Amino acid sequence: MIAGCASSLVHPKPVAGSNPVILTWRPGTPGIGQTSLTTAAKLMYQATEPFRAQHKGIDIHFDYAGGWNGGDLTSWTSAFTSGTAPDVAEIWANPWVFPEKGFLLDLAPFIRKDNLDMTVWPSGALDYVHVLSARGPQNGGLYYLPAYLNTLAVAVNKGVVSGHGLGFPAPDWTYANWTRLAEALTQRTSSGHVSPRAGMLLMWTQIPPPFLLHAFGGGYVDPTNDLRSGLTGSGTLDFFNWVIPLIKAGVVASGNPWVQNLGSGYCATELYQSAFLVEAVHQFSGLDWDFYLMPVGAAGRFSAGYIDVVGVSAATKQPELAYEFAKWLTWDPVFSAAMMRLSLRSPMRKDQWAQWAHVVQSIAPPLAGKNLQAFTDVATGDQGSVWSGRVFRYDNTGVASILANWWSKMLYRGQDVTTALKQAAQQVDALESIGASGKASKASS
């Protein structure tokens, strides 16, 4: 993360000439370590040079209100309501809020005029952009372009696996295979060991991520109706009945990849993000390790599709130019290639993943020879798909609180899975019904 914060706007050196056209831009976190805000701004500004060269007489000013935090809803709301919102912005958290509040420009007319080929992006990421855009005021509108893709592979401590005389994951391995491997690698203090070791670490902070449920054929949201939950579906039940006993048995742990997990011996296998390969160099130092493809679930092979999205302010005074800049940041391969070199940031375009793997292994020699195809093959669709999930129509944040409450009851209070998910579904559906009724009342008043 970027250390420190600055005033609302940081202005790089302006272009030559008088009165340039100014575009304000709030970028996402560039991910270049503990770099000062001023240095990060300089590097990011340099990365926009090709766009500025193509558009003479314009300059890019950075908007740092709220720091680099693309999910700071308070600062965002204040900026939009006061007319000081940036022309172009990258958002990573609560992205469904901004279209539904009318903060963003509908980009669909510009895309149609451009005849923009959006098949260069993974279908799962594009589906997510459409899901978010459905919250906007224009039916059929598109309020975001996908910025970059952060996906997952399985990092495996090969030394521990070899020490147990076990085989490494095969390309067609399944969740059942992973379960058996994790059970064999789990180390418990009751067995006389100094410290415990989970066989498998799955990544989440509040509730399991939707791509895991999707791999089992389930999901938090009903795929046919975003006013209803998918909590009582067979795939969702299968997932929770799989994961909860493993957590209670100490086989599965949860955590984040920026914490020492595999490297510290806390786990033997773990989900790992393409966005944290710089950290992997340090965390896995001294280990015999590698990346492997996500396993195959009942519904197929799916990996997380964590994406940032780029939108244009509905209040911009330069809509066409702002769209061109948003397109250049997301669709044009030049900026994505610059970010690969700057921070090893993984791309969005499917045709850039081979380039990304080459850049990573060139810049970070400890990653040379590592199986980066475990990331690239799901991103390109060659071996599975990425999945970003769906959102509820009215109160995604409230639903998350309900789900977290019932997850805690299942995990720590012994609540039966089937009963807990049924009751959680009733609460979620009731909450969404309230949202629908409120919207109907506003429409009739």
Side-chain angles (χ1 to χ4, degrees), residues 29-328:
T29 303
I32 50 180
Q34 295 299 320
T35 306
S36 72
L37 191 62
T38 302
T39 301
K42 180 179 179 180
L43 294 172
M44 296 286 281
Y45 182 71
Q46 290 172 350
T48 68
E49 192 280 330
F51 180 82
R52 290 180 282 113
Q54 294 171 7
H55 299 79
K56 300 296 184 182
I58 74 105
D59 200 12
I60 306 295
H61 285 186
F62 287 67
D63 182 330
Y64 290 121
W68 293 93
N69 188 351
D72 183 356
L73 187 56
T74 301
S75 71
W76 270 112
T77 302
S78 176
F80 276 108
T81 54
S82 65
T84 60
D87 295 294
V88 178
E90 183 173 320
I91 299 170
W92 61 264
N94 302 317
W96 55 86
V97 174
F98 304 98
E100 69 186 17
K101 286 184 175 291
F103 288 163
L104 301 178
L105 183 69
D106 179 13
L107 303 179
F110 300 95
I111 292 170
R112 286 193 295 268
K113 182 179 178 181
D114 252 359
N115 195 25
L116 193 68
D117 179 13
M118 294 191 291
T119 64
V120 300
W121 293 319
S123 59
L126 192 56
D127 287 346
Y128 186 59
V129 168
H130 282 291
V131 165
L132 299 176
S133 296
R135 271 70 193 151
Q138 185 64 43
N139 185 31
L142 195 69
Y143 294 89
Y144 287 122
L145 300 179
Y148 83 100
L149 174 63
N150 175 17
T151 190
L152 298 176
V154 180
V156 175
N157 187 331
K158 296 174 63 178
V160 172
V161 174
S162 297
H164 283 70
L166 303 171
F168 302 121
D172 60 348
W173 74 321
T174 65
Y175 277 88
N177 298 139
W178 194 8
T179 301
R180 288 192 290 271
L181 178 64
E183 288 174 335
L185 298 176
T186 298
Q187 177 177 284
R188 298 177 177 85
T189 54
S190 60
S191 301
H193 298 289
V194 175
S195 60
R197 179 182 65 221
M200 179 193 307
L201 185 135
L202 301 178
M203 191 193 70
W204 68 76
T205 54
Q206 188 178 35
I207 57 176
F211 89 91
L212 286 173
L213 281 68
H214 193 66
F216 279 72
Y220 292 116
V221 184
D222 185 325
T224 65
N225 184 352
D226 59 5
L227 282 170
R228 298 183 62 83
S229 81
L231 295 174
T232 57
S234 60
T236 305
L237 290 167
D238 288 344
F239 168 76
F240 283 102
N241 279 318
W242 169 75
V243 75
I244 287 177
L246 293 176
I247 294 174
K248 291 181 176 180
V251 175
V252 167
S254 66
N256 283 313
W258 50 85
V259 177
Q260 283 278 6
N261 292 317
L262 202 74
S264 68
Y266 178 67
C267 63
T269 69
E270 71 168 305
L271 293 181
Y272 206 88
Q273 298 184 48
S274 60
F276 288 94
L277 291 190
V278 172
E279 287 79 0
V281 171
H282 304 290
Q283 290 183 20
F284 302 161
S285 177
L287 296 183
D288 178 16
W289 68 278
D290 208 345
F291 292 119
Y292 292 86
L293 279 166
M294 289 296 305
V296 178
R301 189 196 309 277
F302 293 95
S303 185
Y306 301 122
I307 68 173
D308 284 15
V309 287
V310 170
V312 173
S313 171
T316 180
K317 295 179 173 60
Q318 304 287 339
E320 292 188 7
L321 185 59
Y323 162 74
E324 287 295 327
F325 186 50
K327 181 180 72 171
W328 184 80

